[in-house]
Amino acid sequence: MAANPTPDTPIRDDSDARPDAALEAWLRARHSCRAFLPAPVPRATIERILTLAQRTASWCNCQPWQVAITEGAGTERLRAALQARAEQAGVTPGFTPDFPFPREYRNEYLARRRESGFQLYGAVGVARGDREAYRRQEMRNFQLFDAPHVAIITTDEALGEYGAMDCGGYVANFLLAAQANGVATVAQASLAMYPEVLREVLGIGADRRVVCGISFGYADASHPANSYRTRRADLPEAVAWVTA
């Protein structure tokens, strides 16, 4: 198992000679930001990120994604609505995402999920078993981690899982394009828990299905939630070679 990387994990010394050196740099530097500064991202920078992400490959080139971007008062209105709904859910649990969440996490997937959670809780000082502190940290999702912007990604309902899969590629490219432009991001499945809130606040039509959200802005580098990096599986854990 590889050691957990840190925020300043260096790129290999020979990376500058590689044609994919810039891509490697963005991949290594990108992380899920969980504390943002209040400064907004200039509209021109956001449009540049969107332009790059629009190059995403898709099934039959149907490009099923549509994106609702908030800023200013729009972000605050959505933040308030999501917090209110999540607080209500704390009293009356239940949510109905447009796409089912995982039935369960098993084996290595459960281990990786736990490892990531323990890293976050350790960084922000949440003790194991402190349910009240867990809940406070969970609510940070619906506060958008104080981000000045959020992008909500939807797909045409008729395209089902294939449309969602294409949107996953779009999300990955959005994250990398943002990193290349100095913008921090966190992809949030949690925002898809309450699609009715997103539809009401953002005017998303009934023919659209919510895939996820991306909160984005400039990282608060001093915040402990941004002080760690998750491990990536070594190739033998994810790749099987078929040679005969």
Side-chain angles (χ1 to χ4, degrees), residues 134-157:
Y134 287 163
R135 179 60 177 167
R136 286 199 302 270
Q137 185 59 41
E138 180 186 24
M139 286 298 295
R140 291 286 292 152
N141 284 279
F142 306 105
Q143 295 160 5
L144 311 177
F145 300 107
D146 301 325
H149 307 279
V150 67
I152 300 298
I153 315 300
T154 68
T155 181
D156 188 302
E157 64 86 15

Tab-separated table of all heavy atoms in Angstrom, residues 134-157:
chain	number	residue	atom	x	y	z
A	134	TYR	N	-19.955	14.626	14.208
A	134	TYR	CA	-20.177	14.063	12.877
A	134	TYR	C	-21.264	14.854	12.149
A	134	TYR	O	-21.132	15.177	10.967
A	134	TYR	CB	-20.627	12.600	12.972
A	134	TYR	CG	-19.576	11.596	13.356
A	134	TYR	CD1	-19.953	10.329	13.803
A	134	TYR	CD2	-18.223	11.877	13.266
A	134	TYR	CE1	-19.002	9.380	14.163
A	134	TYR	CE2	-17.264	10.941	13.611
A	134	TYR	CZ	-17.661	9.693	14.068
A	134	TYR	OH	-16.719	8.768	14.409
A	135	ARG	N	-22.334	15.126	12.860
A	135	ARG	CA	-23.454	15.834	12.255
A	135	ARG	C	-23.063	17.251	11.850
A	135	ARG	O	-23.454	17.723	10.781
A	135	ARG	CB	-24.634	15.860	13.230
A	135	ARG	CG	-25.870	16.597	12.715
A	135	ARG	CD	-26.417	15.981	11.452
A	135	ARG	NE	-27.635	16.659	11.020
A	135	ARG	CZ	-28.195	16.506	9.828
A	135	ARG	NH1	-27.658	15.687	8.951
A	135	ARG	NH2	-29.304	17.157	9.508
A	136	ARG	N	-22.283	17.923	12.685
A	136	ARG	CA	-21.831	19.282	12.322
A	136	ARG	C	-20.997	19.244	11.054
A	136	ARG	O	-21.154	20.097	10.179
A	136	ARG	CB	-21.022	19.893	13.471
A	136	ARG	CG	-21.847	20.344	14.658
A	136	ARG	CD	-21.061	21.317	15.514
A	136	ARG	NE	-19.815	20.738	15.995
A	136	ARG	CZ	-19.688	20.063	17.139
A	136	ARG	NH1	-20.745	19.869	17.921
A	136	ARG	NH2	-18.511	19.578	17.516
A	137	GLN	N	-20.116	18.245	10.954
A	137	GLN	CA	-19.285	18.150	9.752
A	137	GLN	C	-20.126	17.783	8.543
A	137	GLN	O	-19.897	18.279	7.441
A	137	GLN	CB	-18.168	17.125	9.965
A	137	GLN	CG	-17.169	17.041	8.817
A	137	GLN	CD	-16.468	18.358	8.535
A	137	GLN	OE1	-16.089	19.078	9.461
A	137	GLN	NE2	-16.291	18.685	7.264
A	138	GLU	N	-21.119	16.905	8.732
A	138	GLU	CA	-22.020	16.554	7.641
A	138	GLU	C	-22.754	17.785	7.114
A	138	GLU	O	-22.929	17.951	5.897
A	138	GLU	CB	-23.034	15.518	8.108
A	138	GLU	CG	-24.013	15.082	7.028
A	138	GLU	CD	-25.102	14.159	7.551
A	138	GLU	OE1	-25.404	14.202	8.762
A	138	GLU	OE2	-25.658	13.398	6.744
A	139	MET	N	-23.177	18.654	8.005
A	139	MET	CA	-23.898	19.854	7.606
A	139	MET	C	-23.037	20.804	6.785
A	139	MET	O	-23.561	21.628	6.030
A	139	MET	CB	-24.451	20.577	8.830
A	139	MET	CG	-25.647	19.889	9.465
A	139	MET	SD	-27.075	19.783	8.347
A	139	MET	CE	-27.468	21.528	8.149
A	140	ARG	N	-21.728	20.683	6.894
A	140	ARG	CA	-20.841	21.523	6.089
A	140	ARG	C	-21.081	21.282	4.597
A	140	ARG	O	-20.893	22.190	3.786
A	140	ARG	CB	-19.378	21.255	6.442
A	140	ARG	CG	-18.971	21.725	7.819
A	140	ARG	CD	-18.843	23.227	7.880
A	140	ARG	NE	-17.709	23.678	7.071
A	140	ARG	CZ	-17.623	24.870	6.486
A	140	ARG	NH1	-18.617	25.729	6.565
A	140	ARG	NH2	-16.551	25.204	5.792
A	141	ASN	N	-21.508	20.062	4.237
A	141	ASN	CA	-21.833	19.789	2.839
A	141	ASN	C	-22.916	20.734	2.335
A	141	ASN	O	-22.833	21.269	1.226
A	141	ASN	CB	-22.322	18.343	2.687
A	141	ASN	CG	-21.209	17.328	2.748
A	141	ASN	OD1	-20.511	17.087	1.767
A	141	ASN	ND2	-21.030	16.720	3.911
A	142	PHE	N	-23.942	20.940	3.156
A	142	PHE	CA	-25.091	21.727	2.725
A	142	PHE	C	-24.868	23.230	2.922
A	142	PHE	O	-25.642	24.039	2.419
A	142	PHE	CB	-26.336	21.233	3.458
A	142	PHE	CG	-26.527	19.757	3.287
A	142	PHE	CD1	-26.248	18.881	4.323
A	142	PHE	CD2	-26.900	19.230	2.060
A	142	PHE	CE1	-26.372	17.514	4.154
A	142	PHE	CE2	-27.022	17.868	1.875
A	142	PHE	CZ	-26.758	17.004	2.928
A	143	GLN	N	-23.782	23.561	3.605
A	143	GLN	CA	-23.321	24.946	3.651
A	143	GLN	C	-22.369	25.224	2.492
A	143	GLN	O	-21.822	26.313	2.378
A	143	GLN	CB	-22.612	25.204	4.987
A	143	GLN	CG	-23.533	25.086	6.199
A	143	GLN	CD	-22.792	24.851	7.495
A	143	GLN	OE1	-21.554	24.865	7.541
A	143	GLN	NE2	-23.525	24.614	8.573
A	144	LEU	N	-22.191	24.202	1.642
A	144	LEU	CA	-21.320	24.289	0.457
A	144	LEU	C	-19.882	24.606	0.842
A	144	LEU	O	-19.123	25.149	0.041
A	144	LEU	CB	-21.858	25.328	-0.544
A	144	LEU	CG	-23.343	25.224	-0.896
A	144	LEU	CD1	-23.748	26.348	-1.841
A	144	LEU	CD2	-23.670	23.858	-1.487
A	145	PHE	N	-19.523	24.264	2.081
A	145	PHE	CA	-18.172	24.512	2.581
A	145	PHE	C	-17.775	25.976	2.410
A	145	PHE	O	-16.611	26.300	2.197
A	145	PHE	CB	-17.159	23.594	1.902
A	145	PHE	CG	-17.440	22.130	2.115
A	145	PHE	CD1	-17.927	21.343	1.080
A	145	PHE	CD2	-17.245	21.538	3.348
A	145	PHE	CE1	-18.199	19.990	1.272
A	145	PHE	CE2	-17.513	20.184	3.549
A	145	PHE	CZ	-17.991	19.406	2.513
A	146	ASP	N	-18.782	26.862	2.454
A	146	ASP	CA	-18.613	28.317	2.329
A	146	ASP	C	-18.195	28.748	0.926
A	146	ASP	O	-17.746	29.888	0.731
A	146	ASP	CB	-17.608	28.865	3.353
A	146	ASP	CG	-18.027	28.573	4.784
A	146	ASP	OD1	-19.250	28.590	5.052
A	146	ASP	OD2	-17.146	28.329	5.631
A	147	ALA	N	-18.359	27.884	-0.061
A	147	ALA	CA	-17.973	28.231	-1.436
A	147	ALA	C	-18.849	29.360	-1.983
A	147	ALA	O	-20.043	29.423	-1.684
A	147	ALA	CB	-18.076	27.017	-2.343
A	148	PRO	N	-18.279	30.243	-2.812
A	148	PRO	CA	-19.066	31.315	-3.421
A	148	PRO	C	-19.881	30.868	-4.626
A	148	PRO	O	-20.735	31.618	-5.101
A	148	PRO	CB	-18.003	32.332	-3.836
A	148	PRO	CG	-16.778	31.506	-4.102
A	148	PRO	CD	-16.837	30.374	-3.111
A	149	HIS	N	-19.612	29.663	-5.118
A	149	HIS	CA	-20.312	29.170	-6.310
A	149	HIS	C	-20.620	27.688	-6.158
A	149	HIS	O	-19.895	26.949	-5.480
A	149	HIS	CB	-19.453	29.322	-7.574
A	149	HIS	CG	-18.921	30.685	-7.808
A	149	HIS	ND1	-19.673	31.696	-8.373
A	149	HIS	CD2	-17.692	31.223	-7.551
A	149	HIS	CE1	-18.929	32.794	-8.459
A	149	HIS	NE2	-17.736	32.532	-7.971
A	150	VAL	N	-21.668	27.245	-6.821
A	150	VAL	CA	-21.925	25.824	-6.971
A	150	VAL	C	-22.429	25.579	-8.387
A	150	VAL	O	-23.132	26.412	-8.968
A	150	VAL	CB	-22.933	25.296	-5.927
A	150	VAL	CG1	-24.317	25.879	-6.139
A	150	VAL	CG2	-23.009	23.775	-5.932
A	151	ALA	N	-22.015	24.458	-8.956
A	151	ALA	CA	-22.512	24.004	-10.251
A	151	ALA	C	-23.335	22.747	-10.013
A	151	ALA	O	-22.848	21.799	-9.392
A	151	ALA	CB	-21.344	23.695	-11.200
A	152	ILE	N	-24.563	22.747	-10.483
A	152	ILE	CA	-25.422	21.565	-10.373
A	152	ILE	C	-25.508	20.927	-11.753
A	152	ILE	O	-25.906	21.572	-12.728
A	152	ILE	CB	-26.823	21.931	-9.862
A	152	ILE	CG1	-26.731	22.583	-8.477
A	152	ILE	CG2	-27.714	20.693	-9.827
A	152	ILE	CD1	-26.136	21.695	-7.396
A	153	ILE	N	-25.125	19.649	-11.826
A	153	ILE	CA	-25.043	18.931	-13.096
A	153	ILE	C	-26.272	18.043	-13.247
A	153	ILE	O	-26.568	17.231	-12.364
A	153	ILE	CB	-23.780	18.051	-13.165
A	153	ILE	CG1	-22.540	18.808	-12.653
A	153	ILE	CG2	-23.576	17.535	-14.585
A	153	ILE	CD1	-22.202	20.051	-13.408
A	154	THR	N	-26.972	18.188	-14.368
A	154	THR	CA	-28.141	17.354	-14.640
A	154	THR	C	-28.025	16.702	-16.007
A	154	THR	O	-27.277	17.161	-16.873
A	154	THR	CB	-29.447	18.172	-14.581
A	154	THR	OG1	-29.479	19.091	-15.682
A	154	THR	CG2	-29.586	18.925	-13.269
A	155	THR	N	-28.805	15.633	-16.187
A	155	THR	CA	-28.870	14.936	-17.467
A	155	THR	C	-30.329	14.776	-17.880
A	155	THR	O	-31.238	14.855	-17.048
A	155	THR	CB	-28.201	13.546	-17.377
A	155	THR	OG1	-28.251	12.904	-18.652
A	155	THR	CG2	-28.896	12.656	-16.361
A	156	ASP	N	-30.557	14.550	-19.161
A	156	ASP	CA	-31.902	14.287	-19.664
A	156	ASP	C	-32.399	12.969	-19.073
A	156	ASP	O	-31.708	11.950	-19.119
A	156	ASP	CB	-31.859	14.193	-21.192
A	156	ASP	CG	-33.235	14.104	-21.823
A	156	ASP	OD1	-33.982	13.161	-21.490
A	156	ASP	OD2	-33.561	14.968	-22.642
A	157	GLU	N	-33.606	12.966	-18.521
A	157	GLU	CA	-34.105	11.777	-17.824
A	157	GLU	C	-34.227	10.573	-18.749
A	157	GLU	O	-34.073	9.431	-18.309
A	157	GLU	CB	-35.448	12.088	-17.139
A	157	GLU	CG	-36.604	12.437	-18.059
A	157	GLU	CD	-37.344	11.225	-18.575
A	157	GLU	OE1	-37.154	10.124	-18.002
A	157	GLU	OE2	-38.086	11.368	-19.562
